[in-house]
Amino acid sequence: MGEGSWGYNDDKGNVVIPVGKYKFLNPLDEKGMILAELKNKHGYIDIHENIIVPFEYDDITVFSQELACVKKNGKFGFVNRKGKIVIPVQFENETFFRKNGLALVTKNKLYGFIDKKGKEIIPIKYQNANHVILDSLVTLKKETKWAFFDSFGKQKTDFVYDEIVTTSLNSKDTFWKNGLILVRKNNQIAYLDKNLKEIIPFGKYETGERFNKNRIAIISKNNKYGIIDEFGKERVKAEYDTIEHPEESYHESEIFVAKKGNNIVLLDEHGKKIYDKLKDFSFDYCRMDKKIEKIYHIQNLNGKYGAIDTNGKLIIPIIYDEFEDFGSNYNAIVKYKGKFGLIDSKNKITYPIENEAIYADRRELDYYLINKNNKFGIIDKNLKPIFNFVFQDLSPCFYDTKNRFIAKQNDRYGVIDRGGRIIIPFEYSKMSNWIEYGPGENYHFVTKNNKEGLITKEGKIVIPTIYDSLFYNDENTIILSKNGKYGVKNLQNKTVIPFDYEKIYSDLAFFPKNKEIEFYVLRNGKYFVINNKNKVIKENISKKEVEDKFSYLN
């Protein structure tokens, strides 16, 4: 009864508004009103289910400046908190009132602004319009040009701008709160202050970006880039080939990266130099004095790696051949003079730099897998031994990377758990880990005595190791060969196609799942096609056609 419906409980879990009646309920607003949907119509109720705004609207918004926008028969208007229509339903767009007391409305595909009484403060006659949350200014477009107006409807500039750019401050849009307004005219840019005076005139810079919350912007002149402040002063001289904000954790960072030739310069969010003469850099986080702090990995022009803090102080000397991220952990993997080890954020060696390789999953750090003198072992994240260096090879099983490992001893592979218990005996000369086009994470392809087979992750034999070759086709078919003959079996080791053929090919890419699988087979020097019931469905296939079709398998 309550599926797809909403209700309210009080803080003790008592039902106040039962489910089963309203298709949607918004949280209580500051005046104790609840936006609700009932029988595909929208209105407002209070916590006692008294109807305040009747359920007669196709849609309704939250209240803004004590008015809510309603939709009825494809048109929009406004109601007050008593449910009374105060601005008739007549507009073509859903809208709301900003702090400047205006709402942007459209009628007959033209734009204008109204006040809370519905009066046209700026006539609805313009081709486009824009207003922002933080400013009282609005902009309107007449034919192809833009102009500024104030919130009283007074025109402040001529219609001369090709573009007026908004920016963002604390996730709210603004024209000038970040410092200056970027405008474009006749393929030139300028910057205006809040009084719409040109602080930086048209033509001074070739390109310019909007001002950010730190009240600076990237500009260029003579194809060189710099950074200016809101007074027009060049905070960073226009001498770089590029300046941009690098990407950090899937968003644009506040810092700047400037490039001049092969030299990279890091600048902080205010344009102050952090570090220069770099070949590359990246963001990282590490534990410093029990706190997680942001740092920058840096690579100098000679290709060596180190790290600095956000003030540019060198915390890891630039001496390493490789330097993996800390990833918010205490230790990082480094390579120095051809060997690998671990260091902490103070460059203290926490695990000797004397190993051929070290592997760790930094995103979910649980252990370090180490190759030392061509023997493999594992230490935990606290650098305590899990496995001593007794294995010829060691790798985490993809189906349980924390607790199971494919190991090699005495030239044979098996599977062990984290406690050293043998799950699959050491009796195979080859053992696959999970592969993308295999039978899934529950199986291993294995080789024993130069014969191939398939076992489960618990070591149970699915396809015995008696075959000369094994090719996984799909979840129902595996192509096998034995004594020069090919056949097909399924994952239950049941024969699908008998071992009567000199060759079998199949390519599922050519056949949709809902179509019968076709096998190209060779017998007595002739190619033909059979289905999975071993029935011939096509004869007289040329050798060239088969070789061309399956050349990637040979």
Side-chain angles (χ1 to χ4, degrees):
M1 179 179 177
E3 186 176 350
S5 65
W6 294 62
Y8 265 83
N9 288 351
D10 64 20
D11 56 1
K12 295 180 180 179
N14 300 313
V15 175
V16 179
I17 299 176
V19 296
K21 181 178 181 180
Y22 298 100
K23 190 174 180 180
F24 175 77
L25 292 173
N26 220 34
L28 273 166
D29 70 13
E30 68 274 12
K31 297 293 179 68
M33 296 175 64
I34 303 169
L35 189 158
E37 182 179 353
L38 179 66
K39 297 179 180 178
N40 296 319
K41 293 293 182 181
H42 297 78
Y44 273 87
I45 61 174
D46 64 18
I47 198 64
H48 304 294
E49 296 188 77
N50 296 312
I51 296 175
I52 303 172
V53 178
F55 288 92
E56 59 183 61
Y57 300 106
D58 301 318
D59 204 356
I60 193 168
T61 68
V62 296
F63 280 89
S64 171
Q65 302 294 306
E66 298 303 295
L67 296 177
C69 186
V70 295
K71 180 181 181 182
K72 192 172 186 179
N73 300 324
K75 299 289 185 179
F76 296 85
F78 287 90
V79 298
N80 63 18
R81 285 193 177 273
K82 294 182 179 180
K84 180 182 176 181
I85 290 277
V86 294
I87 299 176
V89 176
Q90 58 183 303
F91 303 112
E92 295 165 355
N93 63 310
E94 179 184 300
T95 184
F96 65 98
F97 283 93
R98 304 274 176 118
K99 289 182 179 180
N100 61 11
L102 301 181
L104 192 162
V105 294
T106 60
K107 190 186 289 186
N108 299 321
K109 298 183 179 180
L110 296 174
Y111 294 76
F113 289 89
I114 60 172
D115 65 13
K116 291 190 287 185
K117 293 182 180 180
K119 179 183 177 182
E120 290 187 22
I121 301 302
I122 299 176
I124 307 172
K125 65 178 186 179
Y126 296 97
Q127 277 67 51
N128 206 343
N130 190 20
H131 61 162
V132 293
I133 291 177
L134 296 179
D135 307 346
S136 60
L137 291 171
V138 299
T139 58
L140 291 110
K141 187 178 185 182
K142 184 178 180 181
E143 296 179 352
T144 62
K145 301 292 184 179
W146 291 84
F148 285 94
F149 286 68
D150 66 19
S151 58
F152 301 103
K154 182 179 179 180
Q155 186 173 337
K156 305 295 288 184
T157 68
D158 293 332
F159 285 90
V160 295
Y161 301 111
D162 298 315
E163 183 182 12
I164 297 171
V165 179
T166 63
T167 183
S168 177
L169 179 64
N170 299 325
S171 300
K172 294 180 179 179
D173 52 356
T174 175
F175 289 116
W176 58 266
K177 291 284 187 182
N178 283 341
L180 298 177
I181 308 168
L182 172 62
V183 293
R184 302 184 193 277
K185 181 175 69 174
N186 301 327
N187 294 320
Q188 292 184 326
I189 67 156
Y191 288 94
L192 315 179
D193 65 12
K194 65 180 180 180
N195 298 314
L196 308 181
K197 177 185 175 182
E198 282 187 20
I199 302 300
I200 299 172
F202 287 98
K204 182 171 183 178
Y205 296 113
E206 296 161 358
T207 65
E209 296 187 0
R210 65 194 75 197
F211 271 69
N212 65 19
K213 70 177 185 179
N214 297 306
R215 309 178 82 80
I216 56 178
I218 300 171
I219 51 79
S220 75
K221 62 181 178 181
N222 301 322
N223 294 316
K224 296 295 182 181
Y225 290 81
I227 297 174
I228 58 170
D229 64 20
E230 61 186 305
F231 305 106
K233 180 181 178 181
E234 288 191 5
R235 185 78 61 87
V236 175
K237 188 177 178 181
E239 62 181 8
Y240 294 98
D241 300 329
T242 62
I243 297 180
E244 59 186 10
H245 293 285
E247 186 172 292
E248 177 185 2
S249 301
Y250 305 104
H251 70 276
E252 189 177 83
S253 174
E254 291 186 8
I255 72 166
F256 300 86
V257 174
K259 294 182 180 179
K260 185 189 292 186
N262 295 323
N263 182 29
I264 291 177
V265 179
L266 296 185
L267 308 169
D268 70 12
E269 64 269 28
H270 303 290
K272 181 182 177 182
K273 185 183 292 186
I274 301 173
Y275 214 87
D276 66 357
K277 297 180 180 178
L278 298 176
K279 183 178 180 180
D280 201 1
F281 93 104
S282 63
F283 297 96
D284 190 16
Y285 290 84
C286 69
R287 293 183 181 270
M288 301 175 67
D289 299 324
K290 298 183 179 180
K291 291 183 179 180
I292 295 178
E293 302 283 354
K294 181 194 290 188
I295 63 172
Y296 305 122
H297 282 234
I298 55 174
Q299 183 185 24
N300 69 14
L301 299 177
N302 294 320
K304 298 296 184 180
Y305 293 88
I308 57 176
D309 65 16
T310 54
N311 296 315
K313 179 183 177 183
L314 192 66
I315 59 173
I316 305 291
I318 310 173
I319 60 174
Y320 295 105
D321 303 315
E322 295 181 22
F323 181 10
E324 295 190 15
D325 288 350
F326 282 93
S328 299
N329 298 304
Y330 284 106
N331 300 289
I333 300 169
V334 293
K335 183 181 181 182
Y336 182 68
K337 295 183 177 180
K339 297 292 184 179
F340 290 86
L342 301 178
I343 61 170
D344 65 13
S345 62
K346 296 181 179 179
N347 196 42
K348 178 184 176 182
I349 296 173
T350 54
Y351 195 82
I353 304 177
E354 58 185 23
N355 309 285
E356 275 66 56
I358 300 180
Y359 162 83
D361 184 350
R362 297 184 305 276
R363 297 165 300 177
E364 200 172 344
L365 182 64
D366 190 52
Y367 57 81
Y368 297 93
L369 194 156
I370 301 171
N371 178 356
K372 182 179 181 180
N373 299 325
N374 294 318
K375 292 289 186 179
F376 290 79
I378 296 179
I379 58 175
D380 66 20
K381 63 182 179 181
N382 298 313
L383 313 185
K384 303 297 183 182
I386 296 177
F387 295 136
N388 291 323
F389 293 88
V390 296
F391 299 103
Q392 294 169 283
D393 197 3
L394 197 61
S395 61
C397 294
F398 277 117
Y399 51 78
D400 190 353
T401 57
K402 288 187 176 181
N403 298 302
R404 290 201 179 183
F405 304 87
I406 296 176
K408 185 180 183 182
Q409 272 188 328
N410 301 319
D411 297 325
R412 292 292 181 265
Y413 288 93
V415 173
I416 57 176
D417 67 13
R418 194 184 181 99
R421 184 171 66 97
I422 296 175
I423 306 299
I424 298 175
F426 289 86
E427 57 184 57
Y428 300 102
S429 56
K430 292 181 182 178
M431 178 179 288
S432 73
N433 220 324
W434 178 87
I435 55 175
E436 184 176 1
Y437 298 106
E441 62 182 21
N442 294 313
Y443 301 91
H444 295 280
F445 294 123
V446 291
T447 302
K448 184 177 181 180
N449 299 324
N450 293 318
K451 300 294 182 180
E452 298 187 11
L454 182 70
I455 62 174
T456 69
K457 65 182 182 181
E458 303 302 330
K460 181 181 178 181
I461 294 174
V462 178
I463 305 290
T465 50
I466 59 175
Y467 296 97
D468 299 319
S469 68
L470 182 154
F471 176 77
Y472 175 77
N473 197 48
D474 68 0
E475 62 269 16
N476 296 312
T477 53
I478 296 176
I479 299 174
L480 301 157
S481 71
K482 184 180 179 184
N483 300 324
K485 295 291 185 179
Y486 284 79
V488 177
K489 290 199 169 191
N490 61 21
L491 284 182
Q492 289 74 44
N493 198 31
K494 293 182 179 179
T495 299
V496 176
I497 305 293
F499 286 75
D500 293 339
Y501 302 99
E502 289 102 59
K503 199 67 181 176
I504 297 179
Y505 296 103
S506 177
D507 190 343
L508 295 181
F510 289 92
F511 307 109
K513 286 186 177 181
N514 59 357
K515 187 175 180 180
E516 184 178 57
I517 298 174
E518 296 178 355
F519 295 94
Y520 285 68
V521 297
L522 174 66
R523 186 167 63 187
N524 299 325
K526 294 183 179 180
Y527 285 98
F528 49 98
V529 179
I530 61 175
N531 61 16
N532 57 4
K533 293 183 172 61
N534 201 34
K535 179 181 178 182
V536 176
I537 57 176
K538 193 185 297 184
E539 296 184 289
N540 300 319
I541 307 297
S542 71
K543 179 180 179 181
K544 184 178 185 307
E545 178 183 343
V546 175
E547 289 179 347
D548 289 346
K549 189 180 186 71
F550 299 103
S551 59
Y552 65 94
L553 294 176
N554 295 322

